[in-house]
Structures are given as C-alpha cells and as structure tokens.
Amino acid sequence: MILWHCRHAACTGLSKCEASLSPPAHLCHPSLARIPLRRMKSLRHRLEEQGLLEASPNTLPSRVGSKFFSGLTSGVTTEPLENIMDAEYVGAISIGTPPQQFLVLFDTGSSDLWVPSVDCSSPACVGHERFNPRLSATHQATGQPVSIQYGTGSMSGVLAYDTVRVGNIQISNQAISLSKKEPGSFLTHHAFDGILGLAFPSIASSGAVPVFDNMMSQGLVAEDLFSIYLSSKSRTGSFVMLGGMDSSCFSGRLRWIPLSAETYWQIAVDRIIMRGRVVACPRGCQAVVDSGTMLLAGPPRDVATIQRHIGVSEYPSGQYKVSCRAEKSLPDIIFVIRGTKFPVPAKTYIQQIYLGYCKSGFESITVPTELWILGQVFLRQYYSVFDRAHRRVGLAPAAQQC
C-alpha cells in the first residue's frame, strides 16, 4: 500500500504514512487531492490460489441487465481506484467518528452508498470490513429497511446517517445503507467491501441523497462534476476525481455529449461499426456510461452479430471464448456518438482469462428497452468527465500513463 507522506496529510486527507512520495504540486489544493492506489492481490490471483478461477464464471454469474431500470420501477478530491482481476477498480473511503475505513466500488451506474454492517453474518460480509455503528459518535440510526439489486447480486439492510470522508472531503449527515444480508456469492471473493453510487438521486434505492449530491449542496467541490481515469497498463494509476479533471490524463479535447436521461449517465449513440460496416445500433440507440460494469453489454441480437464477426465460440458455462491470437487480426469496434468515432481496439475487448484462453469483452443483456452499457472495457480507452452542472458526459482518449 502506498500513501503520501504525513507532511502531505492536508492534501490527501489520509492519516497513515507509508511512503515519502510527494503529490504533483498542481493537484495539492484544499479542494483537490490525488490519492495513490492501494495495491493488493487481484481477484484473478485469489481465485487461482483457491483453485476456483476456472469455475468462477459459474460461481460469480453476471446479470448486468438486472441492475438497470429496476430502480425506476420500485473543492476537488481524487480517489484512487485499483484494477481487480483486470476489470474492477476500487478505492478507499471512511465512515463514522472516529473513521472506519472501507474499500468501495465507485459506480456511475447506481446511486446508493452501502457497506457491510457488523450485524451481517453472510459469508460475503464476514470476509470484509464491517461498519460498527456503536463505535461512531456521529451515527444516526433510522431503522428504515433498504434493499438494493445489482447485476451480480443484491444486499438488504437498514438506512443510517453518518460522517463520510472521501479523500480530503468530509460529508456530514450522509445517508448510508448498512447491509445485514448479502445472499449468494455476491462479493464473497471480491476485494471491495461496498459500493459508492455516482448516478442521479432519482434511482437511489433508499430514496436518500447520494454522496456527490451532498458534496455539491454542502459546497465541498470546486465544480459540480467528477472525472474517471482507468489505467489499462497496471493495477495502479487509476482514479476518480471529485470536483474537477486532470487534463494531463487525456489527449486532444473533450467531446461533450448531452444526457438523454438524468437517471443513469445515459447518452445517445448513432451506430456501432466494424470494418466500415454497421454491426449494431443501425438506427441509433441509448447507452449508459457505467464504471461499475466490467464489459460492453448490449441487446442479445446485436451482441450475437458482433460475436460472429469476432469469431467467438460459446461454451456450456456461458462464456464466449476466442483465440488470444485473434487480437492481432481483429479490427476496432467503433462507437459513433454525436458524429465522433470512439474506437475500442481488439487488445481491449479480447481479454485473457486463464490457461491461455481469452474471452470476448461483450455480453448480452435483456432490459425493457434496447440499451448498451459502456463499461470498463470502453472506459479504459477514454478519460471520462461526468458533468452534473451541464447534464453531459465528456470523453477524450486516455493517456497511457497518468
């Protein structure tokens, strides 16, 4: 684990001292903090050590579609993110007084903040940090039940309020869901403890005000926007910056795309092309920019067409496997958005899994409307800015190192 030295505590908002590295001068500001990443074994390595890696597609099923639309029917700080199993990025926050630390997934596809409670005895809770409200002087219990559904599982618990710290930003009276039950294998093998949602209040399962909305209303961020950089080269270097952006982390200029809905970060896509031909979304479609989804997900018919072009084979486990050598001959998949081409190269959408096997970075989802999910396979290529003030998303080619 690498943290800035103690003398930079005002910049990082962290109290532990593990290294003598100094943050870049232009990022050390009362409302702007660049926090280094914690380094730990990836989910891939942990499953491999336990002999569970090959079986993990079955034990950790993905149902991305169930995450979307279910909620509709029922200063600046930079937070480090870590690449887990080459597909998940997590960062540290703290809750309570004195602070209790947790690793959370920063998720632009949901709006709730939750962590496990000490009252949760599910296997997924036992193996993670659990919040103890009895140790926090600022804790306010409500007794209100909460249930949240995600693409790979769910949680149920109670709503509470407490002080939350993200980097050098401290939010008072923040709504927190404390899980008392995490059924199935959801989160059991993952490094992160909970989830911090960065989407809009309208889809908050608890009905409470999300973290970033409170940051804005309490005047804690310099701008009403946040940005995300996901490193594709290493497990370190990724971050989410709350209240600003870092222009050194992308090339060219940001392309601004207006939101088509203020629920998820939803935008309109013109079409999806490959080798100059339209392979999906021929008459335009909707897409959600989602840091909490690993892959590129879309309607079954469109994904099946793309899989045929890629040359994948479906296995009984439901995984789409392809030769790892294919990335050298396959073309880019190009998302055309407001007339601008956003290519995703084969080296990104062809992903190694184990024993020399690779899989496609595309997944089918079934939702009430035709929708694409632009997950981490897409976001590793593009620095992304989520602008609440102007209701838009900005995208620019990500720098190889930042």
Side-chain angles (χ1 to χ4, degrees):
M1 178 167 64
I2 300 176
L3 301 174
W4 299 129
H5 192 270
C6 285
R7 65 176 179 270
H8 303 296
C11 177
T12 64
L14 296 176
S15 59
K16 294 183 178 179
C17 312
E18 306 247 349
S20 59
L21 301 175
S22 299
H26 73 287
L27 295 180
C28 193
H29 184 275
S31 62
L32 176 63
R34 181 79 171 258
I35 305 172
L37 296 176
R38 296 169 182 246
R39 186 177 181 88
M40 61 190 77
K41 288 184 179 180
S42 70
L43 175 59
R44 181 192 306 280
H45 291 157
R46 290 197 302 276
L47 291 174
E48 190 172 37
E49 288 175 350
Q50 299 173 49
L52 298 174
L53 182 58
E54 187 169 354
S56 63
N58 292 324
T59 60
L60 301 174
S62 177
R63 296 179 294 278
V64 175
S66 63
K67 173 180 175 179
F68 294 91
F69 296 102
S70 60
L72 298 181
T73 59
S74 47
V76 181
T77 188
T78 305
E79 177 64 29
L81 304 177
E82 180 176 353
N83 183 350
I84 306 295
M85 201 169 177
D86 307 324
E88 294 171 5
Y89 299 79
V90 302
I93 68 168
S94 68
I95 302 172
T97 307
Q100 301 174 42
Q101 293 194 352
F102 301 89
L103 291 180
V104 296
L105 178 70
F106 286 79
D107 181 18
T108 60
S110 66
S111 299
D112 297 276
L113 167 61
W114 71 266
V115 295
S117 163
V118 289
D119 298 321
C120 178
S121 59
S122 299
C125 294
V126 173
H128 289 87
E129 294 295 327
R130 292 180 287 175
F131 180 73
N132 189 339
R134 293 176 285 278
L135 299 180
S136 175
T138 47
H139 185 76
Q140 302 173 54
T142 70
Q144 177 183 331
V146 175
S147 179
I148 306 174
Q149 178 70 47
Y150 293 93
T152 52
S154 62
M155 65 75 69
S156 59
V158 293
L159 184 69
Y161 289 85
D162 212 324
T163 298
V164 173
R165 297 168 183 83
V166 184
N168 62 332
I169 295 180
Q170 177 174 304
I171 313 111
S172 302
N173 300 313
Q174 175 59 51
I176 308 156
S177 295
L178 302 176
S179 70
K180 290 190 173 183
K181 186 178 182 181
E182 296 177 23
S185 58
F186 182 45
L187 282 180
T188 300
H189 301 287
H190 289 283
F192 58 88
D193 306 306
I195 293 177
L196 191 155
L198 290 168
F200 289 79
S202 59
I203 62 168
S205 299
S206 63
V209 179
V211 170
F212 193 70
D213 286 79
N214 271 330
M215 288 183 180
M216 292 189 293
S217 65
Q218 295 179 27
L220 301 175
V221 287
E223 296 182 80
D224 292 346
L225 59 79
F226 60 91
S227 55
I228 294 177
Y229 174 81
L230 301 184
S231 172
S232 59
K233 299 297 181 183
S234 68
R235 297 211 314 271
T236 61
S238 304
F239 63 84
V240 56
M241 181 178 287
L242 302 170
M245 67 181 83
D246 186 346
S247 60
S248 68
C249 295
F250 61 87
S251 60
R253 65 184 180 90
L254 287 165
R255 301 286 181 171
W256 292 107
I257 306 153
L259 297 181
S260 51
E262 295 179 18
T263 50
Y264 307 98
W265 290 90
Q266 185 172 324
I267 59 176
V269 175
D270 302 340
R271 58 194 173 277
I272 302 171
I273 61 179
M274 185 176 181
R275 293 193 176 97
R277 299 177 56 186
V278 176
V279 293
C281 186
R283 293 175 295 277
C285 56
Q286 295 292 304
V288 171
V289 185
D290 183 14
S291 63
T293 294
M294 300 179 191
L295 306 178
L296 289 162
R301 180 180 57 197
D302 286 349
V303 171
T305 299
I306 291 174
Q307 303 285 32
R308 287 196 298 272
H309 281 280
I310 295 175
V312 302
S313 301
E314 184 175 7
Y315 282 64
S317 64
Q319 290 291 299
Y320 289 93
K321 297 181 182 178
V322 64
S323 168
C324 296
R325 295 188 297 271
E327 70 173 49
K328 297 180 180 179
S329 58
L330 287 172
D332 296 348
I333 299 289
I334 300 173
F335 290 81
V336 183
I337 305 173
R338 284 182 67 83
T340 299
K341 294 180 178 179
F342 293 91
V344 178
K347 65 180 180 181
T348 298
Y349 67 76
I350 299 297
Q351 303 177 324
Q352 186 173 0
I353 42 178
Y354 61 91
L355 302 176
Y357 289 98
C358 286
K359 69 182 179 76
S360 162
F362 289 86
E363 182 177 8
S364 298
I365 59 169
T366 302
V367 292
T369 182
E370 293 212 352
L371 183 76
W372 276 86
I373 312 302
L374 305 183
Q376 296 156 12
V377 168
F378 181 88
L379 291 176
R380 280 194 287 271
Q381 298 300 303
Y382 298 99
Y383 190 93
S384 50
V385 182
F386 300 81
D387 189 347
R388 287 288 300 271
H390 300 93
R391 306 301 195 261
R392 60 185 182 174
V393 172
L395 297 171
Q400 288 192 356
Q401 291 185 331
C402 182

